[in-house]
Amino acid sequence: MTAIESPKPDINGDPPPRRSLIGTYPNHWLHSSSPPSFDLTRPSPPEYALPSPKDSISLSTTTTPIVISPSKTALVIIDMQNFFLSLYLGRPADGAGNNAKRRLLDTAIPAARKAGIQIIWLNWGLTDEDIENMPPSTRRAFGFEATLEGQGKNKSLPAIDAHGVNQAAADHFMQDKNGVLEEKELTENGKPKRIYKGLGSEVGPVSIEDGKVVDAGRLLMRDTWNAALPPALDAAYKEGQVLKEKPDVWIHKNRMSGLWGSSTPCTEFLEQAGISTLVFAGVNTDQCVAGSLQDAFTKGWDCILLKDACGTTSPDSARECIEFNSARTWGFVTVCNGLEKGVQAMLEAQ
């Protein structure tokens, strides 16, 4: 860190905090010593002026307070799609993902709108070309079809997936005394259990409200029901689409991370929009959210995990690991109410 000349005393005559430069202009932070805080607004040299409370947001985090510029910030909402959240696919209404959805709708999205923060919906949206070029490591995560030898002929059966999509897929295989694998009917609450056969495979018909049946489409492919937002989130997205300034954007991704590799549609958008600070929300905390956040950190974006607007079906230890590293290494961790309070303070100062 490089110490910089402190600005003049404030209007009360109190001496300004001692500040240090972290990084190199134009990609830099300022650290204040008393009280400890980080200024992520990237003020220009040589003055490195303190951010005005009228156009900056002060955020409490689990470690050190930070100040961000709403004009350089985006709320990135990851994978809040029917496949991961819909009750009609058996996702629990009180599960971590749907609890995160409610906090987004009630608190985080309205706060971001008031502050003029860009909202990005970063979702799985595959093409046939994506499926063709998908590496086996990613295919395995969502299930796949295994060719098994059975009774003298090959059979294609859905294999167990590490991602947890097929919760009881292991029971789908039954081995008889002769060592032959047979397909076994899976039931849940007396009904056939849905088995997924990998990215791009047919999900099949889904019964939704009022007995209506929809074709869920191919798994996480673009323009399908299963890859669409649930109704309340879809309404929020459509509301944001028509904003005159900084309308919401939908960006497709084809890996767990939306910022992997040398360039993605998400990184291109962020660079063109001049966004330097990313607030992450969505599902799953320890998978697609964490993957995107870590790639963003590696590429130099400021990263803030909005922890109560994220959810996962993994054990608590997995979530706690991501929150710990997000706070101590990759960036900062805060909550929806913290964002709301910071935005409200900025608006009251105007």
Side-chain angles (χ1 to χ4, degrees):
M1 293 191 296
T2 303
I4 63 172
E5 183 178 349
S6 297
K8 297 178 180 179
D10 64 22
I11 57 175
N12 298 317
D14 295 327
R18 182 175 177 82
R19 299 193 300 161
S20 299
L21 183 69
I22 306 174
T24 305
Y25 176 80
N27 191 17
H28 62 287
W29 294 355
L30 291 168
H31 178 260
S32 294
S33 59
S34 180
S37 65
F38 289 97
D39 173 3
L40 279 56
T41 64
R42 293 169 171 78
S44 300
E47 295 85 1
Y48 296 104
L50 291 168
S52 168
K54 295 181 179 181
D55 52 22
S56 62
I57 301 171
S58 295
L59 274 181
S60 296
T61 77
T62 57
T63 50
T64 309
I66 61 176
V67 182
I68 64 174
S69 170
S71 64
K72 301 176 184 177
T73 299
L75 171 60
V76 184
I77 304 172
I78 297 175
D79 292 354
M80 301 295 270
Q81 297 163 279
N82 278 324
F83 180 70
F84 300 103
L85 299 179
S86 178
L87 276 60
Y88 303 112
L89 289 176
R91 315 313 183 207
D94 59 351
N98 278 303
N99 286 337
K101 179 189 77 173
R102 284 187 285 273
R103 295 187 189 103
L104 274 169
L105 289 168
D106 294 344
T107 307
I109 291 175
R113 295 256 195 266
K114 291 176 183 177
I117 290 174
Q118 175 71 63
I119 295 181
I120 297 171
W121 303 81
L122 182 59
N123 296 314
W124 280 102
L126 299 172
T127 65
D128 285 324
E129 183 179 2
D130 290 331
I131 296 294
E132 181 69 23
N133 296 318
M134 191 69 65
S137 55
T138 305
R139 285 178 177 268
R140 166 182 176 260
F142 287 88
F144 55 94
E145 285 205 324
T147 302
L148 303 172
E149 191 73 21
Q151 298 181 344
K153 62 180 181 179
N154 291 335
K155 295 179 67 176
S156 254
L157 297 176
I160 305 166
D161 69 284
H163 192 266
V165 173
N166 300 336
Q167 293 290 329
D171 294 338
H172 199 66
F173 304 118
M174 177 177 63
Q175 192 164 6
D176 67 18
K177 294 181 180 179
N178 296 320
V180 177
L181 285 168
E182 291 288 346
E183 192 169 357
K184 176 184 175 183
E185 182 182 4
L186 268 182
T187 60
E188 187 173 52
N189 299 324
K191 297 180 180 179
K193 184 173 177 62
R194 189 178 299 275
I195 295 295
Y196 302 103
K197 298 182 180 181
L199 295 169
S201 66
E202 291 289 348
V203 175
V206 176
S207 296
I208 58 174
E209 66 274 1
D210 301 324
K212 182 180 178 182
V213 177
V214 297
D215 178 5
R218 296 166 62 194
L219 185 57
L220 296 179
M221 300 291 284
R222 298 184 186 186
D223 304 319
T224 59
W225 178 89
N226 80 89
L229 300 173
L233 287 172
D234 186 57
Y237 166 62
K238 289 177 179 175
E239 178 183 84
Q241 269 190 304
V242 298
L243 293 175
K244 291 183 179 179
E245 295 186 9
K246 294 186 178 179
D248 288 17
V249 295
W250 180 301
I251 300 178
H252 297 295
K253 65 183 181 72
N254 59 9
R255 297 290 191 277
M256 286 194 171
S257 168
L259 295 90
W260 70 282
S262 60
S263 178
T264 68
C266 185
T267 60
E268 291 173 4
F269 176 83
L270 295 172
E271 289 166 355
Q272 292 171 4
I275 291 170
S276 55
T277 301
L278 305 179
V279 181
F280 286 93
V283 293
N284 280 299
T285 309
D286 54 325
Q287 295 167 13
C288 292
V289 176
S292 298
L293 189 151
Q294 289 178 72
D295 280 341
F297 161 74
T298 300
K299 293 182 177 183
W301 276 280
D302 313 334
C303 297
I304 303 168
L305 183 70
L306 201 57
K307 69 174 184 177
D308 58 343
C310 297
T312 183
T313 56
S314 299
D316 286 345
S317 57
R319 173 186 54 77
E320 290 166 356
C321 174
I322 298 305
E323 292 176 0
F324 177 87
N325 283 291
S326 293
R328 301 285 178 175
T329 302
W330 304 325
F332 305 91
V333 174
T334 190
V335 294
C336 293
N337 284 339
L339 177 62
E340 182 182 51
K341 289 178 181 178
V343 170
Q344 187 60 36
M346 180 186 71
L347 296 177
E348 290 175 355
Q350 294 176 356

